Amino acid sequence: MKFCRFADERFGLVRDGAIYDVSALADRVVAQQPRVKRGDAYVAALPQIARAVDGADLGAPVARVDDAVLLSPVATPTKLIAAPVNYQAHIDEAEADKGITFNHAVARIDQAGLFLKATSSLVGVGEGVAVRFPERRTDHEIELALVIGETCANLTRENALDVVAGYAMGLDMSIRGTEDRSMRKSIDSYSVLGPWLVTADEIADPDNLNFWLKVNGEIRQQANTNMLLRDVRHLIVWASEWYTLYPGDVIYTGTPEGVAPVKAGDVMTAEMDRIGAMRVECRAAATAPVLANSAR
Ligand code: MN
């Protein structure tokens, strides 16, 4: 099944290009589960929600997916984990392009380790990317992303896929420069997840998915997850050795070659096997002061 969040934090089932609002049903299911102290209660209850949805009278769809504002399918992850330099051809292009590396040696993934992106950078495809610092280079990085479904740690290759709630496409948007990755990749809206979450039962082998990304209709990135240097199981095991993983935690698996800049006004489109298609608009980030308490 495909689950999304849309409009004002509604919970939806995606079927045949339409969205059914299953918020009330999902709320009831979540209320019956043990309280989730860390992470996303809806992701934790996804198998139970899927069972409740199956065979329920869903009524009429409330929107076409093309018309809805799709939010991140995960609302409250505790962390966004990401793999750097996980495709050989991307390492090669980075080493050939000072605009990517800024003269830093490209460390191999086993030495570089995983990195974390701020959860406040997470958006859905309908929210778009707000390009910050337009004088600098903001690159797209299309990646397979997976969402953890339960609290877990110290996993093995044999049980690694058992903890996956579902899969989505991820955009690990990145400012190029000398700053630490956690700074350059944590800007508001620089972690896109979507267009929805495809439950893990629909993707038996995440290590064999074709995908591509276009900017303004022009192909930029195209690869298959079978080219990952460290595969999906490896990344889950590795992350779980360092951190307890919680429901809703996201792992971005790394990007292939073809990363390139985007600017305000650009439109990114992407497709991935078994997940679907998405459209993400780029705009200029707002730079006016924001103070939540305007009376101060
Ligand atoms: Mn990346």
Side-chain angles (χ1 to χ4, degrees), residues 82-85 90 115 141-143 172-174 185 252-255:
V85 290
H90 176 53
F115 65 94
E141 295 192 353
I142 179 77
E143 321 194 347
D172 172 22
M173 302 302 296
S174 308
K185 292 168 172 271
Y252 289 77
T253 58
T255 201

Side-chain angles (χ1 to χ4, degrees), residues 34-90:
R35 194 170 71 88
V36 171
K37 298 194 184 84
R38 279 190 172 167
D40 189 300
Y42 289 79
V43 174
L46 212 55
Q48 290 83 359
I49 294 171
R51 267 202 296 281
V53 161
D54 203 21
D57 178 11
L58 302 176
V62 293
R64 303 295 304 170
V65 291
D66 295 337
D67 302 329
V69 176
L70 291 169
L71 309 176
S72 166
V74 180
T76 54
T78 74
K79 48 194 167 305
L80 309 176
I81 302 167
V85 290
N86 202 14
Y87 287 84
Q88 186 58 47
H90 176 53

Side-chain angles (χ1 to χ4, degrees), residues 91-210:
I91 296 175
D92 296 342
E93 76 175 349
E95 288 181 331
D97 185 351
K98 286 185 172 51
I100 295 177
T101 59
F102 282 75
N103 287 323
H104 282 254
V106 180
R108 294 304 182 258
I109 181 170
D110 296 346
Q111 283 75 50
L114 302 170
F115 65 94
L116 299 176
K117 291 162 68 84
T119 56
S120 53
S121 65
L122 182 63
V123 295
V125 305
E127 296 171 277
V129 168
V131 177
R132 189 86 198 183
F133 310 124
E135 71 284 5
R136 293 183 58 173
R137 176 172 165 180
T138 287
D139 281 6
H140 53 75
E141 295 192 353
I142 179 77
E143 321 194 347
L144 170 66
L146 60 96
V147 176
I148 298 294
E150 60 190 87
T151 302
C152 56
N154 304 319
L155 299 169
T156 65
R157 281 192 72 82
E158 287 63 44
N159 60 24
L161 294 189
D162 297 346
V163 304
V164 178
Y167 298 90
M169 282 182 277
L171 284 170
D172 172 22
M173 302 302 296
S174 308
I175 292 249
R176 301 302 176 196
T178 55
E179 299 91 344
D180 190 83
R181 279 190 179 92
S182 65
M183 191 176 200
R184 294 185 287 105
K185 292 168 172 271
S186 287
I187 294 168
D188 290 357
S189 81
Y190 274 39
S191 300
V192 181
L193 189 70
W196 37 69
L197 195 62
V198 179
T199 52
D201 58 288
E202 294 198 0
I203 300 183
D205 183 8
D207 292 310
N208 187 16
L209 300 172
N210 284 300

